[in-house]
Amino acid sequence: MGICLSGDIRGGKQAVGGAQGRPTESHNNGGGGGAHNDAVDFFFRSRGLHALFTQIELSLSASKLRDRDITSKSDPMAVVYAKKREGTLEEIGRTEVIMNSLNPAWIVKISIAYHFHVYDVDTKYHNVSVKMLKLNEQDFLGEASCYLSEIVTKKNRTSTLNLHDKRNGVSRNLGTLSVHAEETVASKSAVEISFRCSQLENVDLFSKSDPFLRISRIVESGDSIPICKTEVINNNLNPIWRPITLSMQQYGSKENPLIIDCFDFNTIGNHVLLGKIQKSVADLQKLHLEQSGANFVLPSVHRNHEKVLESQLFVDKCIEKEQYTFLDYISSGFELNFMVAVDFTASNGNPQNPNSLHYIDPSGRLNSYQQAITEVGEVIQFYDSDKRFPAWGFGGKTFNNTVSHCFNLNGIPNGYEVEGVDGIMAAYAICLTPRQKQVFVLLIVTDGVLTDLQETKDALVRASDLPLSILIVGVGGADFTQMEILDADNGRRLESSTGRIATRDIVQFVPMREVHGGRNSAVQGLLEELPGQFLTYVRPRDIKPCNLQVV
């Protein structure tokens, strides 16, 4: 099993969950109405392979975990594995990180799994992208195994497992992990809600409370499962949060009760409850229509009594909407036009030298650039209808022996397009011998670090308003820290030198050393963020799939 670092960074102040949550909030689970699962599943099914994902969703919580930190509590995350027939474990998903907690209830859900590990994520990794975390650098808190049938056959579909550390021969109980399983709801229905509060209690000494909302759904057993939390609003007793979107998978039905807890955020994890309210989506719609507030309550020391507070919750917006998936757009006629850019700068080495990343091996063994083009290109061309790719090179000498930072890969002055992945490979080899219904995806294959990071960030911020996604594949053993900054998986969108914040995240970085781990990892590396980036462009602009049929 492994660890997972959450998109919940900056000490846990970011929003987590919701139907439009960041696609990187977990290894393979994210917003967009299941778009990422659809895209990967569709790719494999088209080739007669088994689907990667099932229709079971797991919610995880733990209690009495080991405390591996010195000055604070552990910052746990759970990693889920499926046991394959040959006995090896394949990672399925990761939760977010819960700061300073030995009794975490994770919001991010996992598609399906059989084996579970829990890790304490060290403080120095709290601003590291989830996918870049190395599990062997984190503190192992325990593991547990079970069959999926053990969970789904229980009356409440919840199984509580004892955690152990078999790696070090520790058999004693290291706390428990509870797993709740639910079937996914095949519905595109969602509701967008804007919350605000008034007259919250001030529980801080030298400033005002730092409130956030956590929304949980009550399941049949009577237990509550967290499904979403807002961002933290610092120093404010009358906070207004950014809108959240809840899918029907999350809220169940409009009549299903939801628990809305308001907390004052504390970095050490002991968040103070400022009040709670139980309302259904139907109740929230009524509050919105009547433009009225609902009073928070606090549990009283007397059983079955609650203290009604002056603080209130208001619903400024509550709109039902359809959450179209990535495949809804693709199948309705939207096209993804892919482009390729290959790095020929001197840092790659002399192509005639066997140590060069561009060396063409006479034996036919592919170099790193060829591997990236072949493995990633196979997935790319799947979503491009005409299979014609603009292909460029940069940082190298062109056919007239002049250095260029943008030249046609095939050497034809007016012919920058090539036919399919084979065309890209052929053009690459030649270089080494003496209506808005389209979204563009640029593949950049490079080995080096950036020499103009801020200029690059400025360009990406400007491009964030365009129908463009950029996939960067890093080859070689260079330090790709700057590429991870461009990827913006830490929850912070890029900022230009003028202070402008990117409209959306348009970059996905994948180190070739991870992509080459197997064809599946290449597909997942490509599709992990692409559908989400696509949806963050079309949804805010209210762009709908073509030729929609109303049923």
Side-chain angles (χ1 to χ4, degrees):
M1 220 89 194
I3 62 170
C4 164
L5 179 63
S6 167
D8 187 19
I9 59 147
R10 293 186 233 171
K13 290 190 174 183
Q14 294 290 86
V16 176
Q20 289 183 318
R22 282 183 53 78
T24 54
E25 283 176 357
S26 69
H27 190 68
N28 60 18
N29 301 80
H36 312 100
N37 293 5
D38 285 348
V40 178
D41 184 53
F42 183 42
F43 176 83
F44 281 95
R45 281 191 288 107
S46 70
R47 281 152 173 73
L49 301 176
H50 294 295
L52 292 182
F53 305 100
T54 70
Q55 298 303 308
I56 297 294
E57 181 180 83
L58 302 182
S59 301
L60 305 176
S61 62
S63 64
K64 299 180 180 179
L65 296 177
R66 281 188 294 179
D67 192 353
R68 298 296 299 270
D69 293 349
I70 297 176
T71 58
S72 63
K73 297 186 178 71
S74 295
D75 306 316
M77 65 172 253
V79 182
V80 182
Y81 294 84
K83 193 170 186 179
K84 303 173 77 172
R85 288 186 178 181
E86 63 273 21
T88 60
L89 297 179
E90 178 182 11
E91 182 177 329
I92 299 296
R94 302 181 179 189
T95 67
E96 79 276 16
V97 173
I98 302 292
M99 309 294 295
N100 292 297
S101 177
L102 303 183
N103 301 283
W106 291 283
I107 291 175
V108 170
K109 314 303 179 190
I110 308 297
S111 294
I112 188 173
Y114 303 100
H115 192 82
F116 312 89
H117 286 194
V118 181
Y119 286 80
D120 171 29
V121 177
D122 195 82
T123 303
K124 65 182 179 181
Y125 296 104
H126 285 179
N127 285 316
V128 178
S129 164
V130 175
K131 67 187 178 190
M132 302 303 295
L133 283 175
K134 297 179 180 178
L135 299 184
N136 59 6
E137 295 177 347
Q138 315 303 322
D139 291 326
F140 185 70
L141 297 180
E143 64 181 295
S145 300
C146 71
Y147 291 101
L148 183 62
S149 58
E150 294 179 47
I151 304 173
V152 298
T153 55
K154 290 184 178 291
K155 187 174 182 179
N156 60 0
R157 293 198 171 187
T158 300
S159 182
T160 299
L161 311 171
N162 290 324
L163 290 169
H164 302 281
D165 187 355
K166 295 181 180 178
R167 299 179 176 186
N168 298 316
V170 179
S171 59
R172 64 184 177 88
N173 192 351
L174 301 177
T176 62
L177 178 74
S178 295
V179 187
H180 177 77
E182 292 182 287
E183 294 183 13
T184 57
V185 177
S187 173
K188 295 183 176 67
S189 297
V191 58
E192 183 178 345
I193 310 173
S194 294
F195 289 111
R196 65 179 171 90
C197 287
S198 68
Q199 302 182 57
L200 291 177
E201 182 183 359
N202 187 17
V203 296
D204 290 349
L205 292 177
F206 303 107
S207 62
K208 297 176 183 176
S209 298
D210 306 314
F212 70 92
L213 298 178
R214 185 185 68 190
I215 302 174
S216 304
R217 175 166 54 89
I218 298 178
V219 295
E220 293 180 1
S221 64
D223 297 326
S224 60
I225 294 176
I227 58 175
C228 180
K229 85 175 183 70
T230 67
E231 74 279 10
V232 173
I233 304 294
N234 292 326
N235 197 33
N236 197 320
L237 303 182
N238 299 283
I240 301 174
W241 289 280
R242 289 194 291 267
I244 62 171
T245 300
L246 300 178
S247 67
M248 181 175 286
Q249 170 68 33
Q250 293 172 307
Y251 65 77
S253 73
K254 292 174 66 174
E255 287 69 37
N256 195 81
L258 302 175
I259 297 177
I260 304 174
D261 294 306
C262 184
F263 291 97
D264 171 49
F265 177 85
N266 283 319
T267 55
I268 60 174
N270 59 336
H271 310 310
V272 178
L273 181 65
L274 300 177
K276 64 191 311 176
I277 289 176
Q278 180 172 309
K279 297 288 183 182
S280 65
V281 169
D283 295 331
L284 297 176
Q285 289 177 321
K286 185 177 180 181
L287 286 178
H288 170 59
L289 291 174
E290 295 177 352
Q291 297 186 341
S292 58
N295 291 85
F296 282 104
V297 299
L298 278 177
S300 174
V301 292
H302 304 290
R303 180 175 291 184
N304 299 325
H305 285 78
E306 294 179 326
K307 178 183 178 181
V308 179
L309 306 176
E310 291 186 4
S311 54
Q312 288 188 311
L313 176 74
F314 292 86
V315 181
D316 287 341
K317 178 167 64 173
C318 192
I319 302 174
E320 292 186 66
K321 58 196 303 186
E322 290 290 298
Q323 289 286 92
Y324 299 110
T325 68
F326 175 67
L327 290 185
D328 287 333
Y329 289 94
I330 297 301
S331 61
S332 72
F334 275 73
E335 295 183 10
L336 296 182
N337 294 317
F338 291 95
M339 305 169 286
V340 179
V342 178
D343 180 3
F344 288 92
T345 53
S347 59
N348 289 280
N350 187 334
Q352 307 305 316
N353 189 325
N355 294 325
S356 170
L357 292 172
H358 281 307
Y359 179 70
I360 302 295
D361 195 325
S363 69
R365 181 184 178 188
L366 300 181
N367 64 32
S368 296
Y369 281 89
Q370 291 172 314
Q371 291 170 10
I373 292 171
T374 301
E375 296 183 13
V376 178
E378 179 182 354
V379 182
I380 287 179
Q381 69 175 355
F382 180 73
Y383 290 102
D384 194 316
S385 59
D386 64 4
K387 306 293 188 295
R388 294 186 60 85
F389 305 142
W392 298 286
F394 62 91
K397 289 184 178 181
T398 61
F399 293 90
N400 60 8
N401 207 37
T402 61
V403 176
S404 173
H405 293 292
C406 185
F407 56 89
N408 296 340
L409 200 62
N410 59 11
I412 302 175
N414 298 318
Y416 55 86
E417 286 190 332
V418 297
E419 294 282 351
V421 174
D422 290 340
I424 301 174
M425 292 287 283
Y428 170 74
I430 290 173
C431 285
L432 295 174
T433 57
R435 245 165 63 148
Q436 188 59 51
K437 288 190 174 58
Q438 295 183 335
V439 176
F440 296 84
V441 179
L442 171 62
L443 169 65
I444 299 177
V445 188
T446 180
D447 83 311
V449 298
L450 296 170
T451 57
D452 51 358
L453 177 60
Q454 189 56 58
E455 292 180 26
T456 303
K457 291 167 70 174
D458 290 348
L460 291 173
V461 170
R462 291 194 300 270
S464 66
D465 288 324
L466 302 175
L468 173 69
S469 289
I470 299 174
L471 172 67
I472 303 175
V473 177
V475 298
D479 180 359
F480 292 116
T481 302
Q482 291 176 316
M483 296 300 184
E484 296 161 19
I485 294 174
L486 300 183
D487 199 327
D489 274 350
N490 61 4
R492 300 177 185 174
R493 284 179 288 177
L494 294 179
E495 182 176 347
S496 72
S497 55
T498 62
R500 181 190 170 192
I501 304 297
T503 306
R504 59 195 183 92
D505 174 24
I506 64 172
V507 176
Q508 163 75 329
F509 171 69
V510 180
M512 186 60 198
R513 53 181 174 262
E514 295 184 8
V515 171
H516 195 51
R519 186 174 299 270
N520 287 12
S521 62
V523 172
Q524 286 187 252
L526 171 65
L527 295 182
E528 186 179 57
E529 290 187 17
L530 176 58
Q533 291 176 0
F534 177 93
L535 295 175
T536 58
Y537 177 80
V538 295
R539 284 178 175 170
R541 292 162 177 78
D542 199 27
I543 300 174
K544 294 181 172 58
C546 309
N547 306 318
L548 276 180
Q549 294 182 355
V550 180
V551 180

